[in-house]
Amino acid sequence: GEDVEQSLFLSVREGDSSVINCTYTDSSSTYLYWYKQEPGAGLQLLTYIFSNMDMKQDQRLTVLLNKKDKHLSLRIADTQTGDSAIYFCAESPNTGNQFYFGTGTSLTVIP
Amino acid sequence: GAGVSQTPSNKVTEKGKYVELRCDPISGHTALYWYRQSLGQGPEFLIYFQGTGAADDSGLPNDRFFAVRPEGSVSTLKIQRTERGDSAVYLCASSLQGELFFGEGSRLTVL
């Protein structure tokens, strides 16, 4: 499969911004996604970005895509304790309907 | 139902036994995916169905793993002669147009 890498842990204080980073390898990726997984729950789609965009904003979430460097980031503004979860980035290459996931970043929000 | 339903939610079995895991996708979703998630890892692709046929089974680790979707809706993942290394959470997702909707997973423990 494709190589999607993320840092494993991030800790921020409540009210601060969180930035979760991801690098991927397949330059043909059509869509890139951010999923959230709370303890004991399935993955929930947060947002996605099409590969011809470099930024997408959705309420507290901002996705930045640097296609040249194959780097994706998710910024969460005004981070709340309810944002504590594991965040996965995923890419969907143009070759089919495959989705490749990163190892996940565990976000801890300190009250 | 409203979401992807997976049963059982937990399965404990002994090494060498046969196991079936069931996925009931969102009604009308033509694509169905099976992923495996080990502790501390991201979801690992196993197999993808488009309708009744397996469009991509390249992620199945070996011939002990098999999946069916005979009527293009419910899918069953079958694992023969289970091994301790098969212990993981098995995630099912369905899709209509790109976005994956995940179930809560079936946690398999092989003793």
Side-chain angles (χ1 to χ4, degrees), chain A residues 5-6 19-25 32 34 49 53-54 63-74 89:
Chain A
E5 294 188 355
Q6 302 178 236
V19 179
I20 303 171
N21 295 300
C22 171
T23 57
Y24 61 97
T25 56
L32 294 121
W34 284 104
I49 189 167
M53 300 167 65
D54 50 24
V63 179
L64 295 178
L65 175 61
N66 182 328
K67 202 170 176 185
K68 174 176 168 288
D69 294 338
K70 300 191 190 74
H71 182 267
L72 182 74
S73 69
L74 174 69
C89 69

Side-chain angles (χ1 to χ4, degrees), chain B residues 86-105:
Chain B
D86 298 335
S87 296
V89 176
Y90 289 81
L91 297 170
C92 177
S94 69
S95 173
L96 185 59
Q97 288 182 338
E99 178 183 343
L100 292 183
F101 293 85
F102 282 87
E104 294 190 354

